[in-house]
Amino acid sequence: MAREKLAQAKADAAKRGQLPRREPRRRAAGPRREGGDPQLFGRAIRDLLADRGWERPAAVGGVFGRWSDIVGPDLAAHTKPEGFEDGEVLIAADSTAWATQVRLLARTLVRRLNEELGEGTVTRVKVRGPQHGPRTGGLRVTGSRGPGDTYG
């Protein structure tokens, strides 16, 4: 019975000139999903990062976001990562003493960051001390270089 109805529908369509296509349909251009099922969010984000080449910047941002967990609470309280470019991490310290401490720990810090980001990602740590000293008191010594005498 179903075959008779299908044959009748095809005959009616042929009379109207609306036969179904015989050639295969073209698929839309662009990325294809496997099986047409929705993707998991994490997988979709990983694919997007890989397609755009954002894997390393995203990983560096993740490390900067977990700075305290990676370097420890004491060091994190006095330092802050400010940038990453060409394998070099720029770290700002809140005093010259902490800047010196980070410089002494540079090798250990490079090793620890490479554990998180992948071997060879970080090649150097550059430390920047405080830009300005404390602004207390209005007295200045004639001929002094200002806060650079102590904090420069």
Side-chain angles (χ1 to χ4, degrees):
M1 177 123 158
R3 288 184 185 166
E4 291 174 10
K5 292 292 182 184
L6 180 61
Q8 181 64 40
K10 286 183 178 180
D12 291 344
K15 287 179 187 174
R16 291 189 309 263
Q18 298 177 345
L19 282 175
R21 291 194 243 188
R22 300 256 185 243
E23 69 274 357
R25 291 186 176 172
R26 292 187 305 171
R27 293 189 178 205
R32 296 181 188 161
R33 292 192 317 243
E34 297 174 14
D37 291 332
Q39 292 182 353
L40 295 173
F41 185 72
R43 181 177 176 193
I45 293 296
R46 279 192 305 275
D47 291 347
L48 174 68
L49 292 175
D51 290 345
R52 303 281 172 107
W54 295 341
E55 292 164 314
R56 182 170 285 174
V60 170
V63 165
F64 284 11
R66 296 181 298 117
W67 184 249
S68 178
D69 298 334
I70 293 169
V71 301
D74 293 336
L75 190 60
H78 299 282
T79 61
K80 181 174 81 171
E82 291 198 334
F84 176 80
E85 191 172 328
D86 298 330
E88 182 176 277
V89 176
L90 175 63
I91 299 173
D94 62 3
S95 71
T96 55
W98 280 103
T100 301
Q101 183 69 20
V102 173
R103 286 182 189 106
L104 293 172
L105 293 171
R107 282 188 183 172
T108 306
L109 199 51
V110 167
R111 182 182 48 78
R112 181 69 181 103
L113 290 171
N114 280 329
E115 287 174 5
E116 293 288 327
L117 295 170
E119 198 58 41
T121 304
V122 177
T123 57
R124 183 171 177 230
V125 171
K126 184 176 181 182
V127 183
R128 183 176 56 84
Q131 298 299 309
H132 305 288
R135 300 278 181 194
T136 58
L139 301 176
R140 298 280 184 248
V141 175
T142 306
S144 77
R145 295 182 300 143
D149 287 344
T150 306
Y151 289 91

